[in-house]
Amino acid sequence: MSKKRILFLGETYRADAITWMNGLREFGDFEIVTWELQTSSSGISRVKRLLELTKAILTIKSIAKKFNADMVIAERTTSYGFLAAISGVKPIAIAQQGISDLWPHHSPLYLFKKMLQDYAFKKADLIHAWGDVMAQHMRESKVDMSKVMVLPKGIHLDFFAFNETHDDSMIHAIVTRSLEPEYKHEVILKAFSVLKQKNIPFQLIIIGDGTELQNLKHLVQEHNIESEVQFVGRINNTEIPKYLQRSNFYISMPITEGVSASLFEAMACGCFPIVTDLPGNRNWITEKVNGILVPSENHLKLAEELQWAFTNSNVSKKAIVENRKFVEANANYKTNMKKIADTYNDLIKIKSTTP
């Protein structure tokens, strides 16, 4: 029997997309072909991307026909999700990547994006909400919730192994988010400069690359924390666990958050999480039980909470054990991706027998 073929519409370089496709190959034995837009979704390129999206509307049907796909899946409901909806391929599964995918809210294209999203929601056979915060937006958008699967893709628990033993004589903190403005690394650096003024010992590892790198390096010099902060740069995914396992605190301060695989990875490896107080994070973090939630862009509060967590190691030691259990129960890649793959096979079977 030949393998079922899935057309994936989305940005194939993204870790989320790679995890999604690899899981479908592993647990569904699917053959996957991909297509993606060539322009960036940020900055001045947004106009070019919109033009490319418009052109794609005219060509996506022929692309789908050429691939002879049994199913089409797409990330982002406002772009690739819409293209999947007009592709002519059935069944259709689309994934909402952010809290609403309608970002930024002040964009002049907001209503246009909402129109594309509503059409994609209507035409999809299955809609992925990687967490409850996304499902809530779908309810507010009057989506047929019988089509919605609320389930994260999960992470490789064997790969992100747990380390319960840490050096508690100082703060060993790690940040694994891209060096882009929305992740607010400057808030984190300013918080650690406050800790230095208080003579609290720390080492901060920053993994990743992005447009803010030079600005952040200048900030480190300005606050005289060069000896405590290390910029590792972009590294292979296989090396991330060893850095997480050496760290006792995971810090993430974005201004918006959907479902963060980075948070799951940190929790799996034994890092105590201190993250922005956002709906997406409240799904996983209970204040000062299994982590700490900090108001957005408040470096003084972040410094205060870091100091509290450092001096209350009894809380963090208990929390990291419970966090590992939580991730095993709710974000196990093997369990969750098999369920997703099985659902796809069922959808394909139903569509193939429906006139």
Side-chain angles (χ1 to χ4, degrees):
M1 183 182 293
S2 61
K3 292 184 178 181
K4 298 299 182 184
R5 306 187 78 200
I6 287 179
L7 169 59
F8 173 83
L9 304 179
E11 291 150 2
T12 56
Y13 65 88
R14 296 178 63 255
D16 279 353
I18 292 168
T19 299
W20 192 2
M21 290 188 288
N22 285 346
L24 294 177
R25 291 187 184 102
E26 183 176 357
F27 299 106
D29 196 30
F30 290 108
E31 178 183 351
I32 298 178
V33 288
T34 67
W35 183 87
E36 61 192 285
L37 296 164
Q38 298 303 305
T39 49
S40 170
S41 61
S42 61
I44 197 167
S45 296
R46 283 184 180 139
V47 175
K48 290 183 179 179
R49 187 177 175 90
L50 182 58
L51 290 173
E52 189 182 1
L53 179 63
T54 303
K55 183 179 178 182
I57 293 172
L58 302 176
T59 61
I60 196 70
K61 290 180 182 290
S62 62
I63 292 169
K65 186 176 180 180
K66 177 183 175 183
F67 288 154
N68 192 28
D70 297 290
M71 180 175 184
V72 59
I73 65 175
E75 60 177 9
R76 293 207 188 94
T77 54
T78 56
S79 54
Y80 294 109
F82 174 74
L83 292 177
I86 58 96
S87 68
V89 179
K90 280 284 197 174
I92 301 166
I94 62 173
Q96 187 170 296
Q97 294 298 112
I99 293 177
S100 71
D101 281 354
L102 300 171
W103 180 262
H105 294 150
H106 59 266
S107 169
L109 297 175
Y110 181 89
L111 292 177
F112 177 67
K113 290 181 178 180
K114 183 71 169 67
M115 181 180 67
L116 298 183
Q117 183 182 72
D118 288 344
Y119 185 83
F121 280 154
K122 181 179 178 181
K123 293 296 183 180
D125 299 288
L126 176 69
I127 305 169
H128 288 288
W130 304 126
D132 288 332
V133 67
M134 299 165 178
Q136 180 58 36
H137 166 72
M138 294 173 191
R139 293 186 192 98
E140 293 168 359
S141 299
K142 309 300 181 184
V143 171
D144 177 359
M145 297 304 291
S146 68
K147 300 194 295 184
V148 177
M149 174 183 280
V150 185
L151 188 73
K153 293 181 289 294
I155 62 169
H156 287 274
L157 293 175
D158 295 336
F159 184 54
F160 290 96
F162 181 59
N163 178 25
E164 189 175 356
T165 306
H166 297 100
D167 172 18
D168 293 326
S169 65
M170 66 187 302
I171 293 173
H172 293 276
I174 189 168
V175 180
T176 61
R177 311 305 292 269
S178 299
L179 308 188
E180 298 298 337
E182 60 265 30
Y183 291 110
K184 297 296 176 182
H185 289 74
E186 74 275 12
V187 174
I188 298 171
L189 293 177
K190 288 176 182 177
F192 277 97
S193 73
V194 173
L195 295 185
K196 183 162 185 176
Q197 292 168 21
K198 295 183 176 182
N199 295 314
I200 297 172
F202 69 87
Q203 288 291 321
L204 173 62
I205 297 290
I206 298 177
I207 294 175
D209 198 0
T211 59
E212 290 293 292
L213 177 59
Q214 292 308 315
N215 291 337
L216 296 173
K217 285 185 175 181
H218 290 150
L219 195 60
V220 165
Q221 293 175 346
E222 180 184 332
H223 288 286
N224 193 30
I225 51 175
E226 295 164 276
S227 61
E228 290 88 0
V229 178
Q230 180 185 357
F231 290 93
V232 176
R234 185 175 295 168
I235 61 175
N236 193 297
N237 241 25
T238 58
E239 297 193 34
I240 292 177
K242 70 181 182 182
Y243 284 98
L244 289 170
Q245 289 153 3
R246 294 172 190 162
S247 305
N248 49 13
F249 293 98
Y250 165 80
I251 317 295
S252 180
M253 289 286 115
I255 56 176
T256 183
E257 191 77 278
V259 174
S260 172
S262 298
L263 174 59
F264 290 151
E265 292 165 0
M267 292 168 72
C269 288
C271 299
F272 183 79
I274 302 179
V275 297
T276 318
D277 186 7
L278 293 169
N281 289 328
R282 290 182 211 129
N283 281 336
W284 322 112
I285 302 299
T286 301
E287 176 67 8
K288 291 189 177 177
V289 175
N290 72 324
I292 294 176
L293 299 165
V294 177
S296 178
E297 302 186 59
N298 190 331
H299 75 277
L300 293 175
K301 186 63 174 176
L302 175 57
E304 177 187 325
E305 297 296 9
L306 271 163
Q307 183 176 357
W308 184 91
F310 178 54
T311 56
N312 289 272
S313 59
N314 58 316
V315 174
S316 59
K317 285 180 179 179
K318 180 180 179 181
I320 64 172
V321 174
E322 294 305 312
N323 281 346
R324 175 67 189 195
K325 293 177 182 176
F326 177 86
V327 174
E328 288 176 352
N330 296 280
N332 186 330
Y333 166 83
K334 292 180 179 179
T335 302
N336 293 10
M337 280 309 308
K338 185 178 188 309
K339 183 174 181 179
I340 292 169
D342 288 347
T343 301
Y344 286 9
N345 270 314
D346 290 343
L347 282 172
I348 291 171
K349 189 179 297 182
I350 292 169
K351 291 297 178 182
S352 67
T353 57
T354 302

